[in-house]
Amino acid sequence: LIKEGPRPLPLQFYQPDTTVVVAEGEHMVKYDTKTTAAPKSAKEWKPKYVVVGGIIAQPWVINMYRSKAEYDIAVIETQARQPVSVKVKRFDLQMAKLENDWQGPQICKYKNKLHPWKYFVVIPANGNPIKISSPNHTQLKPVHEGIRRVLLSQQRGGGDDKALSNNDPSPTIRIQQRQQPPRLQDHSQRSEHSSEGGSSRRNRSRGFEAF
């Protein structure tokens, strides 16, 4: 319809009142060694376009592409229900953890680089550690915080992102709510009302007899 429509073609867009979180970017990665330490040379890192979740993957999956352009191709082919023709490296974040992350990304320095690099290490349940780095901490932050959110949601809700988004109480809270004892105050109030009602009826009957 867009191709066959008259020109100029008016378009109407809708912007929902929601927050869109994008956890992706071009970074340097290293995932083919067993060590959690940063490579000794900057040449050992590989450039990849890293995507955490996204529109064509589960929230707990990291996909790495050779470029942003190839990621766009993968999105188009997936939405068209076609086989993906680009190379994709996938990693599972379920039961994973971040190494030495209590103070944020770590620092590695190289002789031929003007500024130190920031990097963090993901230890998956299976496989080698995944090291992701960038000379710019601002560029590294979306992917780093995206992985943090996934791991935190798994710790809080067993990986059930839907339950967390709906603020669904845990099963333990539900059981405690169901086992609350009945309120004795309501019963006492009822007994008081019944006693008052009985006394008023007796008074009315006595008044009838006296009359």
Side-chain angles (χ1 to χ4, degrees):
L1 296 176
I2 295 178
K3 293 181 180 180
E4 299 176 357
R7 297 297 188 271
L9 181 65
L11 298 177
Q12 184 177 2
F13 298 91
Y14 169 72
Q15 182 178 359
D17 187 13
T18 183
T19 302
V20 178
V21 179
V22 179
E24 60 185 61
E26 295 180 355
H27 302 300
M28 308 298 289
V29 302
K30 183 73 173 175
Y31 48 78
D32 55 357
T33 58
K34 296 182 179 180
T35 178
T36 58
K40 296 181 179 180
S41 173
K43 296 180 180 180
E44 298 182 35
W45 294 93
K46 293 181 180 180
K48 294 286 184 181
Y49 192 80
V50 183
V51 182
V52 182
I55 61 176
I56 60 173
Q58 298 292 342
W60 56 84
V61 173
I62 300 178
N63 283 339
M64 296 186 182
Y65 304 85
R66 288 180 290 190
S67 64
K68 175 65 165 60
E70 292 197 357
Y71 171 57
D72 294 337
I73 293 174
V75 171
I76 295 173
E77 292 175 343
T78 302
Q79 291 181 341
R81 298 183 179 180
Q82 298 176 357
V84 178
S85 60
V86 298
K87 185 177 180 180
V88 186
K89 187 69 176 180
R90 292 184 175 87
F91 300 94
D92 193 341
L93 288 176
Q94 295 184 94
M95 304 302 294
K97 64 179 182 179
L98 286 169
E99 177 76 5
N100 298 331
D101 193 59
W102 56 85
Q103 293 183 347
Q106 305 178 56
I107 298 176
C108 58
K109 298 181 180 180
Y110 298 108
K111 294 181 179 179
N112 57 343
K113 300 299 179 182
L114 182 61
H115 301 287
W117 288 13
K118 296 282 187 176
Y119 78 98
F120 62 92
V121 184
V122 180
I123 301 180
N126 298 305
N128 296 326
I130 307 165
K131 295 177 280 291
I132 303 175
S133 69
S134 177
N136 191 329
H137 181 232
T138 303
Q139 296 178 356
L140 186 64
K141 190 175 181 179
V143 171
H144 182 217
E145 291 187 348
I147 294 175
R148 272 183 164 182
R149 283 192 298 269
V150 173
L151 300 183
L152 183 60
S153 68
Q154 293 178 6
Q155 294 175 3
R156 289 181 175 178
D160 191 353
D161 297 332
K162 183 177 180 181
L164 290 174
S165 61
N166 295 334
N167 294 325
D168 189 23
S170 62
T172 304
I173 297 177
R174 293 196 193 100
I175 294 174
Q176 292 177 354
Q177 291 175 349
R178 291 176 181 177
Q179 291 181 351
Q180 289 181 354
R183 295 181 179 179
L184 299 178
Q185 183 178 359
D186 296 338
H187 294 287
S188 61
Q189 292 176 352
R190 292 177 182 176
S191 60
E192 292 175 0
H193 290 309
S194 60
S195 61
E196 293 176 358
S199 60
S200 60
R201 286 193 297 271
R202 287 193 298 269
N203 293 334
R204 287 197 298 267
S205 62
R206 291 176 181 175
F208 180 78
E209 293 175 356
F211 180 79

